[in-house]
Amino acid sequence: MRTFLIIFASVMNLVLADAVVKEIAALKLKGSAAISVISGFFNLAYVENRGCAWGMFQGQVWPLAAFAIVVFAFFLWKRKTVFGVTKLSLVAEILLYAGMFGNFIDRVFRGYVIDMFDFHLGVHHFPCFNLADAFITIAAGILLIMAVFEKKDAPTAR
């Protein structure tokens, strides 16, 4: 029960942070040109992404929302297998759920996801993203690193 409360409270705080940043972006950036934060590298911009990662599946709001529910249900079902029981895996789980819920809320209530972080080198832009996307990416990175460096059990004698 304690772990559930930690996960729930952490996820809700991160979802709130994501929602606040998206709302600020909508209020301050919508309808204006991108703001250069670090010239030639980082802008703040307002983008309404009606798809998913890198703008794929544009206009597929409800299929993407349904997919998020299925993926979330899968992670709950296979929680121990996917995340394990370490503190680092708990961080990955929290970040993944927060990212999924942050974007899910946008899709359901806005019909699109607000993105605002625009990194680029000259004319080459990385797709604009938001905090929820960053949470998901960090969670995936943690899980990948854990999988690569996971200690393998010694072979058992037969």
Side-chain angles (χ1 to χ4, degrees), residues 22-59:
K22 287 174 179 172
E23 194 58 34
I24 291 170
L27 292 171
K28 300 290 184 181
L29 300 171
K30 187 175 183 175
S32 65
I35 298 169
S36 178
V37 177
I38 301 173
S39 183
F41 182 67
F42 176 57
N43 296 333
L44 290 174
Y46 178 84
V47 175
E48 293 178 358
N49 185 349
R50 297 176 191 284
C52 62
W54 300 291
M56 295 185 300
F57 304 109
Q58 286 294 313

Coordinates of all heavy atoms in Angstrom, one line a residue, residues 22-59:
K22 N 2.3 23.3 -19.6 CA 1.5 23.4 -20.9 C 0.5 24.6 -20.9 O 0.4 25.2 -21.9 CB 0.7 22.1 -21.1 CG 1.5 20.9 -21.5 CD 0.7 19.6 -21.5 CE 1.5 18.4 -21.9 NZ 0.8 17.1 -21.8
E23 N -0.1 24.8 -19.7 CA -1.0 26.0 -19.7 C -0.2 27.3 -19.8 O -0.7 28.2 -20.5 CB -1.7 26.0 -18.3 CG -2.9 26.9 -18.3 CD -3.9 26.7 -19.4 OE1 -4.2 25.5 -19.8 OE2 -4.5 27.7 -19.8
I24 N 1.0 27.4 -19.2 CA 1.8 28.6 -19.4 C 2.2 28.8 -20.9 O 2.1 29.9 -21.4 CB 3.0 28.5 -18.5 CG1 2.6 28.7 -17.0 CG2 4.1 29.6 -18.9 CD1 3.8 28.4 -16.0
A25 N 2.5 27.7 -21.5 CA 2.9 27.7 -22.9 C 1.7 28.2 -23.7 O 1.8 29.0 -24.6 CB 3.3 26.3 -23.4
A26 N 0.5 27.7 -23.4 CA -0.7 28.1 -24.1 C -1.0 29.6 -23.9 O -1.3 30.3 -24.9 CB -1.9 27.3 -23.7
L27 N -0.8 30.1 -22.7 CA -1.0 31.5 -22.4 C 0.0 32.4 -23.0 O -0.3 33.5 -23.4 CB -1.2 31.7 -20.9 CG -2.4 31.1 -20.2 CD1 -2.2 31.1 -18.7 CD2 -3.6 31.7 -20.7
K28 N 1.3 32.0 -22.9 CA 2.4 33.0 -23.3 C 2.9 32.8 -24.7 O 3.4 33.7 -25.2 CB 3.5 32.8 -22.3 CG 3.2 33.1 -20.8 CD 2.9 34.5 -20.6 CE 2.7 34.8 -19.1 NZ 2.4 36.2 -18.9
L29 N 2.8 31.6 -25.2 CA 3.4 31.3 -26.5 C 2.4 31.2 -27.7 O 2.8 31.4 -28.8 CB 4.3 30.1 -26.4 CG 5.4 30.1 -25.4 CD1 6.0 28.6 -25.3 CD2 6.5 31.1 -25.8
K30 N 1.2 30.8 -27.4 CA 0.2 30.6 -28.5 C 0.0 31.9 -29.3 O -0.2 32.9 -28.8 CB -1.1 30.1 -27.9 CG -2.1 29.7 -29.0 CD -3.4 29.2 -28.4 CE -4.3 28.7 -29.5 NZ -5.5 28.0 -28.9
G31 N 0.2 31.7 -30.6 CA -0.1 32.9 -31.5 C 1.1 33.7 -31.7 O 1.1 34.8 -32.4
S32 N 2.3 33.4 -31.1 CA 3.5 34.2 -31.3 C 4.6 33.4 -31.8 O 4.5 32.1 -31.9 CB 3.9 34.8 -29.9 OG 4.3 33.8 -29.0
A33 N 5.6 34.1 -32.3 CA 6.8 33.4 -32.8 C 7.5 32.7 -31.7 O 7.4 33.1 -30.5 CB 7.7 34.4 -33.5
A34 N 8.3 31.7 -32.0 CA 9.1 31.0 -31.1 C 10.1 32.0 -30.4 O 10.6 32.9 -31.0 CB 9.9 29.9 -31.7
I35 N 10.3 31.7 -29.1 CA 11.3 32.6 -28.3 C 12.6 31.9 -28.2 O 12.7 30.7 -27.7 CB 10.7 32.8 -26.9 CG1 9.4 33.6 -27.0 CG2 11.7 33.6 -26.1 CD1 8.6 33.6 -25.7
S36 N 13.6 32.5 -28.7 CA 15.0 31.9 -28.6 C 15.5 32.1 -27.2 O 15.6 33.1 -26.7 CB 15.9 32.7 -29.6 OG 17.2 32.1 -29.5
V37 N 15.8 30.9 -26.6 CA 16.4 30.9 -25.3 C 17.9 30.8 -25.3 O 18.6 31.5 -24.7 CB 15.8 29.7 -24.4 CG1 16.4 29.6 -23.1 CG2 14.2 29.8 -24.4
I38 N 18.4 29.9 -26.1 CA 19.8 29.7 -26.4 C 19.9 29.8 -27.9 O 19.5 28.8 -28.6 CB 20.4 28.4 -25.9 CG1 20.2 28.3 -24.3 CG2 21.8 28.3 -26.2 CD1 20.6 27.0 -23.7
S39 N 20.4 30.9 -28.4 CA 20.5 31.1 -29.9 C 21.1 29.9 -30.6 O 22.2 29.5 -30.3 CB 21.2 32.4 -30.2 OG 21.2 32.7 -31.5
G40 N 20.4 29.5 -31.7 CA 20.9 28.4 -32.5 C 20.8 27.0 -31.9 O 21.3 26.0 -32.4
F41 N 20.2 26.9 -30.7 CA 20.1 25.6 -30.0 C 18.7 25.3 -29.4 O 18.2 24.2 -29.5 CB 21.2 25.5 -29.0 CG 21.2 24.2 -28.2 CD1 21.6 23.0 -28.9 CD2 20.9 24.1 -26.9 CE1 21.6 21.8 -28.3 CE2 20.9 22.9 -26.2 CZ 21.2 21.7 -26.9
F42 N 18.1 26.3 -28.7 CA 16.9 26.0 -27.9 C 15.9 27.2 -28.0 O 16.2 28.3 -27.7 CB 17.2 25.7 -26.5 CG 16.1 25.5 -25.6 CD1 15.1 24.5 -25.8 CD2 15.9 26.3 -24.4 CE1 14.0 24.3 -25.0 CE2 14.8 26.1 -23.6 CZ 13.9 25.1 -23.9
N43 N 14.7 26.8 -28.4 CA 13.6 27.8 -28.4 C 12.4 27.3 -27.6 O 12.3 26.1 -27.4 CB 13.0 28.0 -29.9 CG 14.0 28.5 -30.8 OD1 14.9 29.3 -30.5 ND2 13.8 28.2 -32.1
L44 N 11.6 28.2 -27.2 CA 10.3 27.9 -26.6 C 9.3 28.2 -27.7 O 9.3 29.3 -28.3 CB 10.0 28.7 -25.4 CG 10.8 28.4 -24.1 CD1 10.6 29.3 -23.0 CD2 10.5 26.9 -23.7
A45 N 8.4 27.3 -28.0 CA 7.5 27.4 -29.1 C 6.1 26.8 -28.7 O 6.1 26.1 -27.7 CB 8.0 26.8 -30.4
Y46 N 5.1 27.2 -29.4 CA 3.8 26.6 -29.1 C 3.4 25.7 -30.3 O 3.3 26.2 -31.4 CB 2.7 27.7 -28.9 CG 1.4 27.1 -28.6 CD1 1.0 26.7 -27.4 CD2 0.4 27.0 -29.7 CE1 -0.3 26.2 -27.1 CE2 -0.8 26.4 -29.4 CZ -1.2 26.0 -28.2 OH -2.4 25.5 -27.9
V47 N 3.2 24.4 -30.0 CA 2.8 23.5 -31.0 C 1.6 22.6 -30.5 O 1.7 22.1 -29.4 CB 4.0 22.5 -31.4 CG1 3.5 21.5 -32.4 CG2 5.2 23.3 -31.9
E48 N 0.6 22.5 -31.3 CA -0.5 21.6 -31.0 C -0.3 20.3 -31.8 O -0.5 20.3 -33.0 CB -1.8 22.3 -31.4 CG -2.2 23.5 -30.6 CD -3.5 24.2 -31.0 OE1 -4.1 23.7 -31.9 OE2 -3.8 25.1 -30.3
N49 N 0.1 19.3 -31.1 CA 0.4 18.0 -31.7 C -0.8 17.1 -31.7 O -1.2 16.7 -30.6 CB 1.6 17.3 -31.0 CG 2.0 16.1 -31.7 OD1 1.4 15.5 -32.6 ND2 3.2 15.5 -31.2
R50 N -1.4 16.9 -32.8 CA -2.6 16.1 -32.9 C -2.3 14.6 -33.2 O -3.2 13.9 -33.5 CB -3.6 16.7 -33.9 CG -4.0 18.1 -33.5 CD -4.9 18.8 -34.5 NE -5.1 20.2 -34.2 CZ -5.8 20.7 -33.2 NH1 -6.6 19.9 -32.5 NH2 -5.9 22.0 -33.0
G51 N -1.1 14.3 -33.1 CA -0.6 12.9 -33.3 C 0.1 12.4 -32.0 O -0.3 12.7 -30.9
C52 N 1.2 11.7 -32.2 CA 2.0 11.2 -31.1 C 3.5 11.6 -31.4 O 3.7 12.5 -32.1 CB 1.8 9.7 -30.9 SG 2.2 8.6 -32.2
A53 N 4.4 10.8 -31.0 CA 5.8 11.1 -31.1 C 6.1 11.4 -32.5 O 5.7 10.8 -33.5 CB 6.6 9.8 -30.7
W54 N 6.9 12.5 -32.6 CA 7.4 13.1 -33.9 C 6.2 13.4 -34.9 O 6.4 13.3 -36.1 CB 8.4 12.1 -34.6 CG 9.6 11.9 -33.7 CD1 10.5 12.9 -33.4 CD2 9.9 10.8 -33.0 NE1 11.5 12.3 -32.5 CE2 11.1 11.1 -32.3 CE3 9.4 9.5 -32.8 CZ2 11.7 10.1 -31.4 CZ3 10.0 8.6 -32.0 CH2 11.1 8.9 -31.3
G55 N 5.0 13.6 -34.3 CA 3.9 14.0 -35.2 C 3.3 12.9 -35.9 O 2.4 13.1 -36.8
M56 N 3.6 11.6 -35.6 CA 3.0 10.5 -36.3 C 1.5 10.3 -35.9 O 1.1 10.8 -34.9 CB 3.8 9.2 -36.0 CG 5.2 9.2 -36.4 SD 6.0 7.6 -36.2 CE 5.9 7.4 -34.4
F57 N 0.8 9.7 -36.8 CA -0.6 9.4 -36.5 C -1.5 10.7 -36.3 O -2.3 10.7 -35.4 CB -0.8 8.4 -35.4 CG 0.0 7.1 -35.6 CD1 1.1 6.8 -34.9 CD2 -0.4 6.2 -36.6 CE1 1.8 5.7 -35.1 CE2 0.3 5.1 -36.8 CZ 1.4 4.8 -36.1
Q58 N -1.2 11.7 -37.0 CA -2.0 13.0 -36.9 C -3.5 12.7 -37.0 O -4.0 12.0 -37.8 CB -1.6 14.0 -38.0 CG -0.2 14.5 -37.8 CD -0.1 15.4 -36.5 OE1 -1.0 16.3 -36.3 NE2 0.9 15.2 -35.7
G59 N -4.2 13.4 -36.1 CA -5.7 13.3 -36.1 C -6.3 12.0 -35.4 O -7.5 11.9 -35.4

